[in-house]
Each structure stands twice: as structure tokens, then as C-alpha cells.
PDB file of all heavy atoms in Angstrom:
ATOM      1  N   GLN A  13       7.367  -4.836  -6.442  1.00  0.00           N
ATOM      2  CA  GLN A  13       6.911  -4.636  -7.887  1.00  0.00           C
ATOM      3  C   GLN A  13       5.443  -4.379  -7.937  1.00  0.00           C
ATOM      4  O   GLN A  13       4.942  -3.649  -8.715  1.00  0.00           O
ATOM      5  CB  GLN A  13       7.270  -5.884  -8.715  1.00  0.00           C
ATOM      6  CG  GLN A  13       6.860  -5.800 -10.119  1.00  0.00           C
ATOM      7  CD  GLN A  13       7.642  -4.737 -10.822  1.00  0.00           C
ATOM      8  OE1 GLN A  13       8.839  -4.544 -10.657  1.00  0.00           O
ATOM      9  NE2 GLN A  13       6.937  -3.913 -11.684  1.00  0.00           N
ATOM     10  N   PHE A  14       4.654  -5.063  -7.072  1.00  0.00           N
ATOM     11  CA  PHE A  14       3.235  -5.021  -7.035  1.00  0.00           C
ATOM     12  C   PHE A  14       2.781  -4.423  -5.675  1.00  0.00           C
ATOM     13  O   PHE A  14       2.349  -5.171  -4.824  1.00  0.00           O
ATOM     14  CB  PHE A  14       2.547  -6.345  -7.293  1.00  0.00           C
ATOM     15  CG  PHE A  14       3.033  -6.934  -8.611  1.00  0.00           C
ATOM     16  CD1 PHE A  14       3.859  -8.070  -8.583  1.00  0.00           C
ATOM     17  CD2 PHE A  14       2.617  -6.425  -9.810  1.00  0.00           C
ATOM     18  CE1 PHE A  14       4.252  -8.702  -9.812  1.00  0.00           C
ATOM     19  CE2 PHE A  14       2.974  -6.996 -10.993  1.00  0.00           C
ATOM     20  CZ  PHE A  14       3.846  -8.138 -10.986  1.00  0.00           C
ATOM     21  N   GLY A  15       2.961  -3.103  -5.492  1.00  0.00           N
ATOM     22  CA  GLY A  15       2.758  -2.483  -4.213  1.00  0.00           C
ATOM     23  C   GLY A  15       1.348  -2.539  -3.717  1.00  0.00           C
ATOM     24  O   GLY A  15       1.158  -2.276  -2.461  1.00  0.00           O
ATOM     25  N   LYS A  16       0.362  -2.867  -4.561  1.00  0.00           N
ATOM     26  CA  LYS A  16      -0.991  -2.994  -4.013  1.00  0.00           C
ATOM     27  C   LYS A  16      -1.209  -4.293  -3.270  1.00  0.00           C
ATOM     28  O   LYS A  16      -2.276  -4.394  -2.598  1.00  0.00           O
ATOM     29  CB  LYS A  16      -1.959  -2.798  -5.167  1.00  0.00           C
ATOM     30  CG  LYS A  16      -2.015  -1.487  -5.800  1.00  0.00           C
ATOM     31  CD  LYS A  16      -3.066  -1.365  -6.927  1.00  0.00           C
ATOM     32  CE  LYS A  16      -3.043  -0.029  -7.552  1.00  0.00           C
ATOM     33  NZ  LYS A  16      -4.075   0.044  -8.644  1.00  0.00           N
ATOM     34  N   LEU A  17      -0.334  -5.206  -3.340  1.00  0.00           N
ATOM     35  CA  LEU A  17      -0.455  -6.423  -2.557  1.00  0.00           C
ATOM     36  C   LEU A  17      -0.158  -6.194  -1.119  1.00  0.00           C
ATOM     37  O   LEU A  17       0.881  -5.598  -0.782  1.00  0.00           O
ATOM     38  CB  LEU A  17       0.447  -7.496  -3.181  1.00  0.00           C
ATOM     39  CG  LEU A  17       0.305  -7.995  -4.556  1.00  0.00           C
ATOM     40  CD1 LEU A  17       1.238  -9.026  -4.981  1.00  0.00           C
ATOM     41  CD2 LEU A  17      -1.205  -8.621  -4.700  1.00  0.00           C
ATOM     42  N   THR A  18      -1.033  -6.702  -0.270  1.00  0.00           N
ATOM     43  CA  THR A  18      -0.919  -6.559   1.137  1.00  0.00           C
ATOM     44  C   THR A  18      -0.037  -7.609   1.733  1.00  0.00           C
ATOM     45  O   THR A  18       0.133  -8.660   1.126  1.00  0.00           O
ATOM     46  CB  THR A  18      -2.167  -6.404   1.870  1.00  0.00           C
ATOM     47  OG1 THR A  18      -2.872  -7.694   1.734  1.00  0.00           O
ATOM     48  CG2 THR A  18      -3.124  -5.334   1.310  1.00  0.00           C
ATOM     49  N   ASP A  19       0.348  -7.472   3.005  1.00  0.00           N
ATOM     50  CA  ASP A  19       1.030  -8.552   3.705  1.00  0.00           C
ATOM     51  C   ASP A  19       0.093  -9.786   3.762  1.00  0.00           C
ATOM     52  O   ASP A  19       0.588 -10.902   3.609  1.00  0.00           O
ATOM     53  CB  ASP A  19       1.452  -8.106   5.066  1.00  0.00           C
ATOM     54  CG  ASP A  19       2.604  -7.109   5.032  1.00  0.00           C
ATOM     55  OD1 ASP A  19       3.350  -7.109   4.030  1.00  0.00           O
ATOM     56  OD2 ASP A  19       2.688  -6.321   6.024  1.00  0.00           O
ATOM     57  N   ASP A  20      -1.202  -9.576   4.007  1.00  0.00           N
ATOM     58  CA  ASP A  20      -2.102 -10.705   4.085  1.00  0.00           C
ATOM     59  C   ASP A  20      -2.201 -11.346   2.725  1.00  0.00           C
ATOM     60  O   ASP A  20      -2.302 -12.588   2.676  1.00  0.00           O
ATOM     61  CB  ASP A  20      -3.526 -10.215   4.484  1.00  0.00           C
ATOM     62  CG  ASP A  20      -3.588  -9.826   5.961  1.00  0.00           C
ATOM     63  OD1 ASP A  20      -2.722 -10.312   6.754  1.00  0.00           O
ATOM     64  OD2 ASP A  20      -4.477  -9.069   6.339  1.00  0.00           O
ATOM     65  N   ASP A  21      -2.157 -10.576   1.618  1.00  0.00           N
ATOM     66  CA  ASP A  21      -2.188 -11.215   0.255  1.00  0.00           C
ATOM     67  C   ASP A  21      -1.011 -12.076   0.120  1.00  0.00           C
ATOM     68  O   ASP A  21      -1.082 -13.197  -0.412  1.00  0.00           O
ATOM     69  CB  ASP A  21      -2.127 -10.123  -0.795  1.00  0.00           C
ATOM     70  CG  ASP A  21      -3.435  -9.321  -0.900  1.00  0.00           C
ATOM     71  OD1 ASP A  21      -4.499  -9.898  -0.545  1.00  0.00           O
ATOM     72  OD2 ASP A  21      -3.345  -8.158  -1.342  1.00  0.00           O
ATOM     73  N   LEU A  22       0.226 -11.621   0.546  1.00  0.00           N
ATOM     74  CA  LEU A  22       1.407 -12.381   0.342  1.00  0.00           C
ATOM     75  C   LEU A  22       1.428 -13.673   1.173  1.00  0.00           C
ATOM     76  O   LEU A  22       1.876 -14.739   0.690  1.00  0.00           O
ATOM     77  CB  LEU A  22       2.608 -11.558   0.769  1.00  0.00           C
ATOM     78  CG  LEU A  22       2.860 -10.306  -0.175  1.00  0.00           C
ATOM     79  CD1 LEU A  22       3.966  -9.537   0.347  1.00  0.00           C
ATOM     80  CD2 LEU A  22       3.120 -10.760  -1.589  1.00  0.00           C
ATOM     81  N   LEU A  23       0.827 -13.574   2.373  1.00  0.00           N
ATOM     82  CA  LEU A  23       0.672 -14.836   3.183  1.00  0.00           C
ATOM     83  C   LEU A  23      -0.314 -15.766   2.482  1.00  0.00           C
ATOM     84  O   LEU A  23      -0.006 -16.994   2.460  1.00  0.00           O
ATOM     85  CB  LEU A  23       0.137 -14.435   4.528  1.00  0.00           C
ATOM     86  CG  LEU A  23       1.126 -13.866   5.524  1.00  0.00           C
ATOM     87  CD1 LEU A  23       0.399 -13.425   6.785  1.00  0.00           C
ATOM     88  CD2 LEU A  23       2.165 -14.883   5.931  1.00  0.00           C
ATOM     89  N   GLU A  24      -1.409 -15.214   1.936  1.00  0.00           N
ATOM     90  CA  GLU A  24      -2.339 -16.146   1.244  1.00  0.00           C
ATOM     91  C   GLU A  24      -1.772 -16.724  -0.004  1.00  0.00           C
ATOM     92  O   GLU A  24      -1.976 -17.900  -0.301  1.00  0.00           O
ATOM     93  CB  GLU A  24      -3.557 -15.331   0.867  1.00  0.00           C
ATOM     94  CG  GLU A  24      -4.718 -16.196   0.281  1.00  0.00           C
ATOM     95  CD  GLU A  24      -5.908 -15.321  -0.025  1.00  0.00           C
ATOM     96  OE1 GLU A  24      -6.062 -14.230   0.540  1.00  0.00           O
ATOM     97  OE2 GLU A  24      -6.743 -15.847  -0.871  1.00  0.00           O
ATOM     98  N   ILE A  25      -0.935 -15.964  -0.738  1.00  0.00           N
ATOM     99  CA  ILE A  25      -0.359 -16.414  -1.975  1.00  0.00           C
ATOM    100  C   ILE A  25       0.637 -17.625  -1.668  1.00  0.00           C
ATOM    101  O   ILE A  25       0.459 -18.653  -2.329  1.00  0.00           O
ATOM    102  CB  ILE A  25       0.378 -15.376  -2.712  1.00  0.00           C
ATOM    103  CG1 ILE A  25      -0.602 -14.298  -3.211  1.00  0.00           C
ATOM    104  CG2 ILE A  25       1.240 -15.903  -3.834  1.00  0.00           C
ATOM    105  CD1 ILE A  25      -0.011 -12.944  -3.617  1.00  0.00           C
ATOM    106  N   GLY A  26       1.464 -17.401  -0.714  1.00  0.00           N
ATOM    107  CA  GLY A  26       2.372 -18.511  -0.261  1.00  0.00           C
ATOM    108  C   GLY A  26       3.054 -19.208  -1.363  1.00  0.00           C
ATOM    109  O   GLY A  26       3.346 -20.398  -1.164  1.00  0.00           O
ATOM    110  N   GLY A  27       3.405 -18.581  -2.434  1.00  0.00           N
ATOM    111  CA  GLY A  27       4.087 -19.192  -3.517  1.00  0.00           C
ATOM    112  C   GLY A  27       3.261 -19.863  -4.546  1.00  0.00           C
ATOM    113  O   GLY A  27       3.763 -20.464  -5.555  1.00  0.00           O
ATOM    114  N   LYS A  28       1.962 -19.836  -4.338  1.00  0.00           N
ATOM    115  CA  LYS A  28       1.032 -20.406  -5.342  1.00  0.00           C
ATOM    116  C   LYS A  28       0.739 -19.450  -6.459  1.00  0.00           C
ATOM    117  O   LYS A  28       0.153 -18.405  -6.316  1.00  0.00           O
ATOM    118  CB  LYS A  28      -0.295 -20.833  -4.652  1.00  0.00           C
ATOM    119  CG  LYS A  28      -0.136 -21.856  -3.587  1.00  0.00           C
ATOM    120  CD  LYS A  28      -1.464 -22.204  -3.045  1.00  0.00           C
ATOM    121  CE  LYS A  28      -1.416 -22.333  -1.527  1.00  0.00           C
ATOM    122  NZ  LYS A  28      -1.621 -21.179  -0.712  1.00  0.00           N
ATOM    123  N   ILE A  29       1.255 -19.836  -7.652  1.00  0.00           N
ATOM    124  CA  ILE A  29       1.211 -18.894  -8.799  1.00  0.00           C
ATOM    125  C   ILE A  29      -0.287 -18.521  -9.175  1.00  0.00           C
ATOM    126  O   ILE A  29      -0.539 -17.327  -9.457  1.00  0.00           O
ATOM    127  CB  ILE A  29       1.841 -19.589  -9.992  1.00  0.00           C
ATOM    128  CG1 ILE A  29       3.378 -19.881  -9.670  1.00  0.00           C
ATOM    129  CG2 ILE A  29       1.797 -18.665 -11.223  1.00  0.00           C
ATOM    130  CD1 ILE A  29       4.165 -18.714  -9.178  1.00  0.00           C
ATOM    131  N   GLU A  30      -1.149 -19.506  -9.096  1.00  0.00           N
ATOM    132  CA  GLU A  30      -2.549 -19.206  -9.495  1.00  0.00           C
ATOM    133  C   GLU A  30      -3.184 -18.166  -8.513  1.00  0.00           C
ATOM    134  O   GLU A  30      -4.009 -17.379  -8.895  1.00  0.00           O
ATOM    135  CB  GLU A  30      -3.443 -20.445  -9.602  1.00  0.00           C
ATOM    136  CG  GLU A  30      -3.591 -21.297  -8.323  1.00  0.00           C
ATOM    137  CD  GLU A  30      -2.397 -22.166  -7.860  1.00  0.00           C
ATOM    138  OE1 GLU A  30      -1.456 -22.310  -8.632  1.00  0.00           O
ATOM    139  OE2 GLU A  30      -2.489 -22.735  -6.839  1.00  0.00           O
ATOM    140  N   VAL A  31      -2.819 -18.240  -7.294  1.00  0.00           N
ATOM    141  CA  VAL A  31      -3.279 -17.220  -6.289  1.00  0.00           C
ATOM    142  C   VAL A  31      -2.734 -15.824  -6.539  1.00  0.00           C
ATOM    143  O   VAL A  31      -3.398 -14.872  -6.515  1.00  0.00           O
ATOM    144  CB  VAL A  31      -3.074 -17.683  -4.826  1.00  0.00           C
ATOM    145  CG1 VAL A  31      -3.523 -16.680  -3.879  1.00  0.00           C
ATOM    146  CG2 VAL A  31      -3.689 -19.083  -4.631  1.00  0.00           C
ATOM    147  N   LEU A  32      -1.480 -15.817  -6.913  1.00  0.00           N
ATOM    148  CA  LEU A  32      -0.793 -14.558  -7.270  1.00  0.00           C
ATOM    149  C   LEU A  32      -1.455 -13.889  -8.457  1.00  0.00           C
ATOM    150  O   LEU A  32      -1.777 -12.784  -8.475  1.00  0.00           O
ATOM    151  CB  LEU A  32       0.703 -14.766  -7.590  1.00  0.00           C
ATOM    152  CG  LEU A  32       1.532 -13.583  -8.030  1.00  0.00           C
ATOM    153  CD1 LEU A  32       1.408 -12.428  -7.083  1.00  0.00           C
ATOM    154  CD2 LEU A  32       2.953 -13.948  -8.347  1.00  0.00           C
ATOM    155  N   VAL A  33      -1.749 -14.751  -9.489  1.00  0.00           N
ATOM    156  CA  VAL A  33      -2.440 -14.266 -10.687  1.00  0.00           C
ATOM    157  C   VAL A  33      -3.804 -13.647 -10.267  1.00  0.00           C
ATOM    158  O   VAL A  33      -4.225 -12.626 -10.714  1.00  0.00           O
ATOM    159  CB  VAL A  33      -2.583 -15.370 -11.703  1.00  0.00           C
ATOM    160  CG1 VAL A  33      -3.546 -14.978 -12.813  1.00  0.00           C
ATOM    161  CG2 VAL A  33      -1.247 -15.759 -12.274  1.00  0.00           C
ATOM    162  N   GLY A  34      -4.539 -14.381  -9.484  1.00  0.00           N
ATOM    163  CA  GLY A  34      -5.826 -13.864  -9.006  1.00  0.00           C
ATOM    164  C   GLY A  34      -5.803 -12.599  -8.227  1.00  0.00           C
ATOM    165  O   GLY A  34      -6.557 -11.689  -8.361  1.00  0.00           O
ATOM    166  N   LYS A  35      -4.728 -12.516  -7.344  1.00  0.00           N
ATOM    167  CA  LYS A  35      -4.640 -11.260  -6.633  1.00  0.00           C
ATOM    168  C   LYS A  35      -4.231 -10.065  -7.526  1.00  0.00           C
ATOM    169  O   LYS A  35      -4.652  -8.960  -7.285  1.00  0.00           O
ATOM    170  CB  LYS A  35      -3.480 -11.388  -5.529  1.00  0.00           C
ATOM    171  CG  LYS A  35      -3.975 -12.344  -4.363  1.00  0.00           C
ATOM    172  CD  LYS A  35      -5.043 -11.764  -3.600  1.00  0.00           C
ATOM    173  CE  LYS A  35      -5.444 -12.626  -2.433  1.00  0.00           C
ATOM    174  NZ  LYS A  35      -6.609 -12.151  -1.782  1.00  0.00           N
ATOM    175  N   LEU A  36      -3.449 -10.328  -8.546  1.00  0.00           N
ATOM    176  CA  LEU A  36      -3.076  -9.261  -9.480  1.00  0.00           C
ATOM    177  C   LEU A  36      -4.331  -8.847 -10.255  1.00  0.00           C
ATOM    178  O   LEU A  36      -4.538  -7.626 -10.480  1.00  0.00           O
ATOM    179  CB  LEU A  36      -2.024  -9.727 -10.469  1.00  0.00           C
ATOM    180  CG  LEU A  36      -0.617  -9.927  -9.910  1.00  0.00           C
ATOM    181  CD1 LEU A  36       0.365 -10.410 -10.957  1.00  0.00           C
ATOM    182  CD2 LEU A  36      -0.094  -8.684  -9.193  1.00  0.00           C
ATOM    183  N   GLN A  37      -5.177  -9.759 -10.630  1.00  0.00           N
ATOM    184  CA  GLN A  37      -6.432  -9.463 -11.296  1.00  0.00           C
ATOM    185  C   GLN A  37      -7.259  -8.563 -10.364  1.00  0.00           C
ATOM    186  O   GLN A  37      -7.833  -7.591 -10.798  1.00  0.00           O
ATOM    187  CB  GLN A  37      -7.209 -10.719 -11.615  1.00  0.00           C
ATOM    188  CG  GLN A  37      -6.659 -11.535 -12.805  1.00  0.00           C
ATOM    189  CD  GLN A  37      -7.520 -12.672 -13.127  1.00  0.00           C
ATOM    190  OE1 GLN A  37      -7.361 -13.708 -12.430  1.00  0.00           O
ATOM    191  NE2 GLN A  37      -8.408 -12.576 -14.000  1.00  0.00           N
ATOM    192  N   GLU A  38      -7.395  -8.996  -9.084  1.00  0.00           N
ATOM    193  CA  GLU A  38      -8.208  -8.270  -8.119  1.00  0.00           C
ATOM    194  C   GLU A  38      -7.699  -6.860  -7.866  1.00  0.00           C
ATOM    195  O   GLU A  38      -8.503  -5.890  -7.941  1.00  0.00           O
ATOM    196  CB  GLU A  38      -8.197  -9.143  -6.830  1.00  0.00           C
ATOM    197  CG  GLU A  38      -8.949  -8.460  -5.711  1.00  0.00           C
ATOM    198  CD  GLU A  38      -8.854  -9.330  -4.432  1.00  0.00           C
ATOM    199  OE1 GLU A  38      -8.672 -10.540  -4.519  1.00  0.00           O
ATOM    200  OE2 GLU A  38      -9.013  -8.756  -3.351  1.00  0.00           O
ATOM    201  N   HIS A  39      -6.401  -6.707  -7.573  1.00  0.00           N
ATOM    202  CA  HIS A  39      -5.913  -5.423  -7.155  1.00  0.00           C
ATOM    203  C   HIS A  39      -5.550  -4.475  -8.300  1.00  0.00           C
ATOM    204  O   HIS A  39      -5.541  -3.280  -8.109  1.00  0.00           O
ATOM    205  CB  HIS A  39      -4.620  -5.610  -6.274  1.00  0.00           C
ATOM    206  CG  HIS A  39      -4.950  -6.171  -4.931  1.00  0.00           C
ATOM    207  ND1 HIS A  39      -5.673  -5.498  -3.990  1.00  0.00           N
ATOM    208  CD2 HIS A  39      -4.612  -7.366  -4.392  1.00  0.00           C
ATOM    209  CE1 HIS A  39      -5.715  -6.219  -2.876  1.00  0.00           C
ATOM    210  NE2 HIS A  39      -5.164  -7.410  -3.134  1.00  0.00           N
ATOM    211  N   TYR A  40      -5.231  -5.064  -9.479  1.00  0.00           N
ATOM    212  CA  TYR A  40      -4.826  -4.154 -10.564  1.00  0.00           C
ATOM    213  C   TYR A  40      -5.861  -4.216 -11.780  1.00  0.00           C
ATOM    214  O   TYR A  40      -5.591  -3.630 -12.764  1.00  0.00           O
ATOM    215  CB  TYR A  40      -3.436  -4.650 -11.112  1.00  0.00           C
ATOM    216  CG  TYR A  40      -2.358  -4.251 -10.177  1.00  0.00           C
ATOM    217  CD1 TYR A  40      -1.959  -5.189  -9.174  1.00  0.00           C
ATOM    218  CD2 TYR A  40      -1.728  -3.112 -10.228  1.00  0.00           C
ATOM    219  CE1 TYR A  40      -0.892  -4.805  -8.276  1.00  0.00           C
ATOM    220  CE2 TYR A  40      -0.707  -2.738  -9.373  1.00  0.00           C
ATOM    221  CZ  TYR A  40      -0.292  -3.622  -8.351  1.00  0.00           C
ATOM    222  OH  TYR A  40       0.704  -3.297  -7.489  1.00  0.00           O
ATOM    223  N   ASP A  41      -7.026  -4.815 -11.549  1.00  0.00           N
ATOM    224  CA  ASP A  41      -8.039  -4.884 -12.556  1.00  0.00           C
ATOM    225  C   ASP A  41      -7.487  -5.311 -13.917  1.00  0.00           C
ATOM    226  O   ASP A  41      -7.723  -4.761 -14.906  1.00  0.00           O
ATOM    227  CB  ASP A  41      -8.681  -3.491 -12.685  1.00  0.00           C
ATOM    228  CG  ASP A  41     -10.087  -3.624 -13.427  1.00  0.00           C
ATOM    229  OD1 ASP A  41     -10.711  -4.631 -13.279  1.00  0.00           O
ATOM    230  OD2 ASP A  41     -10.375  -2.602 -14.075  1.00  0.00           O
ATOM    231  N   MET A  42      -6.731  -6.454 -13.811  1.00  0.00           N
ATOM    232  CA  MET A  42      -6.170  -7.043 -14.988  1.00  0.00           C
ATOM    233  C   MET A  42      -7.024  -8.178 -15.498  1.00  0.00           C
ATOM    234  O   MET A  42      -7.740  -8.853 -14.707  1.00  0.00           O
ATOM    235  CB  MET A  42      -4.771  -7.654 -14.685  1.00  0.00           C
ATOM    236  CG  MET A  42      -3.685  -6.761 -14.281  1.00  0.00           C
ATOM    237  SD  MET A  42      -2.215  -7.670 -13.934  1.00  0.00           S
ATOM    238  CE  MET A  42      -1.005  -6.358 -13.823  1.00  0.00           C
ATOM    239  N   SER A  43      -6.912  -8.456 -16.797  1.00  0.00           N
ATOM    240  CA  SER A  43      -7.492  -9.656 -17.344  1.00  0.00           C
ATOM    241  C   SER A  43      -6.718 -10.833 -16.873  1.00  0.00           C
ATOM    242  O   SER A  43      -5.555 -10.681 -16.456  1.00  0.00           O
ATOM    243  CB  SER A  43      -7.606  -9.546 -18.806  1.00  0.00           C
ATOM    244  OG  SER A  43      -6.338  -9.700 -19.383  1.00  0.00           O
ATOM    245  N   LEU A  44      -7.196 -12.007 -17.026  1.00  0.00           N
ATOM    246  CA  LEU A  44      -6.466 -13.217 -16.777  1.00  0.00           C
ATOM    247  C   LEU A  44      -5.143 -13.261 -17.545  1.00  0.00           C
ATOM    248  O   LEU A  44      -4.068 -13.567 -16.961  1.00  0.00           O
ATOM    249  CB  LEU A  44      -7.257 -14.517 -17.011  1.00  0.00           C
ATOM    250  CG  LEU A  44      -6.586 -15.867 -16.803  1.00  0.00           C
ATOM    251  CD1 LEU A  44      -6.118 -16.030 -15.375  1.00  0.00           C
ATOM    252  CD2 LEU A  44      -7.484 -16.968 -17.217  1.00  0.00           C
ATOM    253  N   GLU A  45      -5.254 -12.899 -18.809  1.00  0.00           N
ATOM    254  CA  GLU A  45      -4.100 -13.036 -19.720  1.00  0.00           C
ATOM    255  C   GLU A  45      -3.035 -11.971 -19.261  1.00  0.00           C
ATOM    256  O   GLU A  45      -1.829 -12.244 -19.278  1.00  0.00           O
ATOM    257  CB  GLU A  45      -4.489 -12.772 -21.112  1.00  0.00           C
ATOM    258  CG  GLU A  45      -5.339 -13.862 -21.735  1.00  0.00           C
ATOM    259  CD  GLU A  45      -6.840 -13.788 -21.319  1.00  0.00           C
ATOM    260  OE1 GLU A  45      -7.353 -12.673 -20.839  1.00  0.00           O
ATOM    261  OE2 GLU A  45      -7.460 -14.811 -21.448  1.00  0.00           O
ATOM    262  N   GLU A  46      -3.459 -10.801 -18.861  1.00  0.00           N
ATOM    263  CA  GLU A  46      -2.524  -9.768 -18.429  1.00  0.00           C
ATOM    264  C   GLU A  46      -1.840 -10.193 -17.090  1.00  0.00           C
ATOM    265  O   GLU A  46      -0.620 -10.013 -16.986  1.00  0.00           O
ATOM    266  CB  GLU A  46      -3.241  -8.380 -18.192  1.00  0.00           C
ATOM    267  CG  GLU A  46      -3.740  -7.733 -19.482  1.00  0.00           C
ATOM    268  CD  GLU A  46      -4.607  -6.549 -19.148  1.00  0.00           C
ATOM    269  OE1 GLU A  46      -5.428  -6.621 -18.160  1.00  0.00           O
ATOM    270  OE2 GLU A  46      -4.574  -5.576 -19.916  1.00  0.00           O
TER     271      GLU A  46
END
């Protein structure tokens, strides 16, 4: 779904929702709410 996430990102996320949100902000230039 989020092809800009790298394998390293997925390892770092490790199921932590707040980290996933941060990575989406970083890679997709989203606001926190988005």
C-alpha cells in the first residue's frame, strides 16, 4: 500500500503505530492528521 516504505523502515516500525505514522509523514509529506 505504501511503496515508498523501505525494508529498513518496516524493520524500524516493527508494529509501532506511532513510528508508522512518522514514516508516512516523512516519505509521503503528509501532515500528522493525514
Side-chain angles (χ1 to χ4, degrees):
Q13 184 64 42
F14 303 110
K16 292 182 182 179
L17 296 176
T18 66
D19 290 334
D20 288 340
D21 290 332
L22 296 174
L23 284 172
E24 185 178 341
I25 293 166
K28 296 182 224 91
I29 301 306
E30 64 279 357
V31 179
L32 175 56
V33 167
K35 291 295 182 183
L36 292 179
Q37 287 181 277
E38 178 183 333
H39 289 292
Y40 288 91
D41 196 30
M42 293 180 172
S43 69
L44 176 62
E45 293 79 18
E46 290 171 324

